[in-house]
Amino acid sequence: MTVSDTTSEGWMVLCSDEEGRARLDMVSKVTGDTYFDLLKNYSEISQWKGPRKIQSLSSTMTDAQSPFYLLTDDGATRLGKNNFEWKEEYNFAYEAAANGASLRPYSITAAGLGKMIVSGKEAYYCERGMGIDGLYQSVVNKTFDVAPYVGANVAASMYVAVYLLYDTTNKCFMAYCPMMAYEDLGSLEPLVTMDKMEEIATSFKGDNGVVHSVSYDYPEGYDYVYMENTKYDPGNAKMGTTYTILTKDGRSYLYGIQLGDLLLYADCTYVLGKSYYGDLSGCTGIGEEGTLYAFSSLKNYMYYAVDNTVYRVDLSVSPLEAERQFALNGETITCLKFNLYRESANASRSYDLVVGSVDGAGKGILRVYEGLESEGDFSSVTPEKYTGFARIVDATYRERNN
């Protein structure tokens, strides 16, 4: 017997209303109806402004009774699994050792036995697993600022995870492997340059330390634009590709980096890898303010949206060119992503393109374009369509897993 309520499964849609307030709506898979402003009765959080993200974490990474996270400019909090109920102890401040009330994560990246956030220009790490229920501790990057996204392998379970940061002060990639500081792993400095991380990986695992599917020098002096973790694994190494868009001297470049496990747990073939490099400068709108990006886990495809139009870039050809997919007339695209599902029954749905938009009247529209059968060509796909929202900032699917 399966017990369900109206919010047991469906799309969690995070909106920004006319006043910039974070509003959580839901398209219920259970009833087929859409429910609006689910948090309106919680006065403590219902007036928060600047919605950033609505996401869920696995039970190994947070309290199973409150697996959802609402992230905004004004604050961050967990939400309960039963109708997204809220309690004071769900406030993100209780998950940090110090300065918790001031932390405003852009997103939460979980990998191995830990998870990372960036608040402002500072990164924090929290270890959780094997009986440890940790807190976000002191700042990881004490001498430089970091970009708002953290790279990690989302394609496999791991133990000693390697994370990727972008140093916006010195304009370079940095690797962070917190467990390297443990005595059993050599009491090493956990935050190092990528070249140093390659040396460490090779010293630990020899030929299985680093794989170079493509050859490039790690860039220096480039400005950060965007970073995204995917399950795209060109070498079947159980290492998803993390893509980063950088700009320099008016040109835009794309770097693909694979991040693994220092101990090669769960059959990760390598600790670290270089998987892609390309020049995006021939693609209109790349690097410009307001452009949205999304990377497929199905094939080596990149998608981006400018105003009302979505383009696709086939990263396997050269030179890189933008191919128009579709345009939403009279609308502006406000959210573009691939939702990465965890349940095996939903695995193929991770290839579906999720598009949020707003029309001329300020009404939000959510569309979901099927990706597996279309093989990532959305130009002729008729999407699932849901209406009645405010300006959509993020949409995450709540899977039925309890």
Side-chain angles (χ1 to χ4, degrees), residues 112-317:
L113 295 181
K115 49 190 177 180
M116 289 196 72
I117 63 167
V118 175
S119 176
K121 299 178 180 180
E122 299 175 333
Y124 297 80
Y125 174 74
C126 170
E127 189 168 319
R128 183 181 176 93
M130 296 183 66
I132 298 174
D133 190 2
L135 299 172
Y136 290 94
Q137 301 290 336
S138 59
V139 177
V140 168
N141 53 303
K142 292 182 173 61
T143 61
F144 57 86
D145 296 336
V146 295
Y149 198 86
V150 177
N153 183 11
V154 296
S157 59
M158 295 179 294
Y159 183 63
V160 183
V162 180
Y163 296 89
L164 182 70
L165 302 174
Y166 196 75
D167 171 353
T168 58
T169 301
N170 302 297
K171 299 185 178 181
C172 61
F173 286 114
M174 297 291 289
Y176 181 62
C177 185
M179 294 185 72
M180 289 198 313
Y182 285 18
E183 184 177 353
D184 290 348
L185 293 176
S187 300
L188 302 173
E189 167 58 46
L191 181 64
V192 296
T193 66
M194 296 300 291
D195 288 327
K196 182 63 176 179
M197 189 67 232
E198 287 196 1
E199 291 180 17
I200 294 171
T202 302
S203 69
F204 268 68
K205 294 298 175 181
D207 292 341
N208 283 343
V210 181
V211 59
H212 291 163
S213 300
V214 298
S215 179
Y216 61 76
D217 294 328
Y218 291 110
E220 295 184 6
Y222 290 61
D223 292 318
Y224 171 91
V225 175
Y226 181 77
M227 182 185 289
E228 181 179 335
N229 297 318
T230 75
K231 294 183 178 180
Y232 182 68
D233 182 11
N236 295 317
K238 292 192 177 181
M239 297 167 67
T241 298
T242 295
Y243 292 101
T244 307
I245 300 173
L246 304 173
T247 61
K248 186 176 184 180
D249 299 330
R251 301 187 68 84
S252 299
Y253 304 92
L254 179 63
Y255 292 85
I257 295 175
Q258 289 179 289
L259 304 157
D261 186 311
L262 192 62
L263 298 185
L264 302 188
Y265 177 73
D267 299 325
C268 282
T269 307
Y270 299 95
V271 179
L272 200 64
K274 295 176 178 176
S275 59
Y276 188 80
Y277 168 78
D279 187 338
L280 293 168
S281 303
C283 303
T284 302
I286 295 293
E288 295 180 3
E289 185 175 355
T291 301
L292 303 175
Y293 306 93
F295 289 85
S296 175
S297 291
L298 175 65
K299 291 189 173 183
N300 205 17
Y301 290 151
M302 165 187 164
Y303 301 81
Y304 68 101
V306 179
D307 191 17
N308 70 342
T309 305
V310 172
Y311 299 90
R312 181 178 74 171
V313 181
D314 185 343
L315 301 178
S316 64
V317 301

Side-chain angles (χ1 to χ4, degrees), residues 4 61-62 80 119 124 181 184 195 207 209 272 322 337 340 357 361-362 364 401:
S4 301
M61 286 297 169
T62 190
S119 176
Y124 297 80
D184 290 348
D195 288 327
D207 292 341
L272 200 64
K337 67 180 291 186
L340 298 182
S357 64
N401 54 12

